[in-house]
């Protein structure tokens, strides 16, 4: 818990566990609206649900009108797609399913890894309008959980709440002015930490290859140019003003040098490599254990 004496609202949503900590308990009406927003988001964007809006695209090409948050996702993904040369793409769902990370969580590869289609070959996504020229498996997992954190934070602020802390299984947002000490999970041992960081009034998101791993060296962070799991990086952290940006940038750091991202985004970062070395920005004010 971020602060002693705070109240916690715990629930499950979009396939993971959530905890919202507040100075005063949330009333029943606000809790219900929060759960309804989580369900709405999931029913729109989840590729693991056959009844979701984007699941329609996996069986039939065409045009969809999406909710307002689509515009932010479209802009962010297009920017990171360009900066990464296609290595980070919302079309990675097809490659993930090929490797066994499919809607049924089979975790049995269907064959060798394969890259997803190129964005401009199959996808036109502007604002809330999305059009495909062939069936595609859209996956916004690199930024979606962070965006939902921001949406829930907006609901809390609309109710006049300024002191709160959201923990969406490691995607963190501190809504208050008091910094919170956050442990940085060890990429090879979840019971240990490799360091700590002070999280002020902003978001901190992590991505790690051990979080969703199966089979022989298979995990959920893929290079969109090859469809293969990234081998050189094992964990990243990104700190930014919004959880959506922090979430997306944590994944982008697996496939893009930080120097290519820094001119375009205001964030601080830490990257841990498979050889045990680490790189971090000067603004990432944490303490790494030796």
């Amino acid at each position: 818990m971020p602060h002693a004496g705070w109240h916690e609202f715990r629930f499950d949503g979009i396939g993971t566990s959530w905890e919202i900590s507040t100075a005063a308990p949330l009333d029943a009406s606000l809790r219900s609206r929060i759960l309804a927003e989580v369900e709405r988001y999931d029913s729109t964007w989840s590729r693991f649900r056959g009844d979701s809006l984007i699941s329609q695209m996996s069986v039939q090409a065409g045009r969809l009108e999406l909710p307002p948050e689509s515009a932010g996702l479209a802009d962010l993904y297009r920017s990171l797609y360009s900066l990464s040369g296609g290595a980070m793409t919302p079309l990675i769902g097809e490659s993930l399913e090929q490797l066994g990370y499919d809607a049924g969580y089979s975790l049995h590869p269907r064959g060798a890894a394969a890259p997803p289609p190129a964005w401009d070959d199959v996808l036109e996504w502007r604002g809330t309008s999305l059009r495909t020229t062939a069936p595609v498996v859209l996956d916004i997992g690199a930024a979606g959980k962070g965006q939902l954190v921001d949406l829930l934070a907006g609901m809390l602020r609309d109710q006049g709440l300024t002191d709160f802390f959201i923990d969406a299984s490691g995607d963190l947002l501190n809504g208050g002015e008091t910094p919170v000490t956050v442990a940085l999970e060890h990429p090879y041992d979840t019971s240990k930490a490799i360091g700590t960081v002070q999280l002020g009034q902003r978001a901190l998101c992590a991505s790690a290859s051990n979080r969703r791993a199966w089979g022989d060296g298979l995990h959920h962070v893929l290079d969109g140019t090859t469809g293969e799991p990234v081998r050189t990086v094992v964990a990243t952290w990104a700190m930014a003003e919004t959880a959506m940006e922090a979430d997306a940038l944590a994944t982008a750091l697996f496939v893009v040098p930080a120097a290519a991202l820094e001119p375009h985004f205001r964030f601080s970062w830490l990257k841990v490599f498979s050889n045990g070395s680490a790189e971090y920005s000067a603004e990432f004010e944490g303490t790494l254990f030796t």
Side-chain angles (χ1 to χ4, degrees):
M1 187 183 297
H3 302 292
W6 276 28
H7 301 264
E8 296 177 348
F9 175 36
R10 295 191 181 100
F11 57 91
D12 292 328
I14 64 168
T16 193
S17 59
W18 293 69
E19 184 177 290
I20 299 178
S21 301
T22 50
L26 303 180
D27 63 45
S29 175
L30 181 54
R31 291 187 181 208
S32 294
R33 295 199 302 276
I34 286 171
L35 295 178
E37 176 67 354
V38 172
E39 169 60 20
R40 182 202 67 81
Y41 195 92
D42 198 47
S43 67
T44 300
W45 297 104
S46 176
R47 70 175 176 88
F48 298 99
R49 291 176 54 157
D51 64 342
S52 74
L53 188 59
I54 66 161
S55 286
Q56 298 176 26
M57 298 188 303
S58 66
V59 294
Q60 184 177 359
R63 183 182 298 275
L64 289 177
E65 279 300 316
L66 295 166
E69 71 267 8
S70 170
L73 285 171
D75 290 345
L76 181 57
Y77 264 105
R78 186 71 215 201
S79 176
L80 291 172
Y81 182 84
S82 299
L83 290 171
S84 67
M88 183 167 170
T89 169
L91 297 167
I92 200 65
E94 208 164 303
S95 300
L96 286 165
E97 292 198 344
Q98 177 73 9
L99 293 180
Y101 194 41
D102 49 34
Y105 296 99
S106 71
L107 306 184
H108 292 296
R110 303 173 186 172
W119 185 308
D120 292 319
D121 288 348
V122 297
L123 181 64
E124 182 182 308
W125 189 6
R126 293 186 177 90
T128 60
S129 178
L130 189 151
R131 186 178 71 87
T132 59
T133 58
V136 298
V137 182
L138 200 75
D139 185 294
I140 54 107
K145 185 169 65 166
Q147 184 179 57
L148 184 53
V149 169
D150 292 332
L151 290 171
L152 299 189
M155 294 178 68
L156 296 174
R157 293 185 179 110
D158 287 345
Q159 295 299 306
L161 298 173
T162 55
D163 284 335
F164 60 85
F165 191 92
I166 300 176
D167 181 351
S169 295
D171 281 13
L172 310 176
L173 178 66
N174 184 9
E177 296 182 359
T178 304
V180 175
T181 301
V182 175
L184 307 175
E185 183 179 284
H186 196 293
Y188 295 122
D189 187 346
T190 58
S191 67
K192 297 180 180 178
I194 63 169
T196 60
V197 67
Q198 291 292 307
L199 179 60
Q201 199 169 26
R202 51 198 333 219
L204 173 68
C205 294
S207 186
S209 58
N210 69 319
R211 274 298 183 176
R212 297 179 188 88
W214 67 97
D216 184 15
L218 300 178
H219 61 78
H220 73 294
V221 187
L222 308 186
D223 183 332
T225 64
T226 64
E228 294 272 1
V230 177
R231 310 292 185 191
T232 53
V233 180
V234 295
T236 59
W237 288 264
M239 198 180 301
E241 291 301 313
T242 69
M244 181 175 73
E245 276 201 359
D247 197 11
L249 290 168
T251 298
L253 286 167
F254 268 77
V255 293
V256 185
L261 300 170
E262 288 177 321
H264 305 276
F265 298 94
R266 294 183 59 188
F267 76 113
S268 56
W269 56 273
L270 166 65
K271 181 187 291 193
V272 178
F273 295 89
S274 55
N275 64 6
S277 64
E279 293 179 354
Y280 51 91
S281 64
E283 299 80 17
F284 196 88
E285 297 178 356
T287 301
L288 292 182
F289 305 148
T290 56

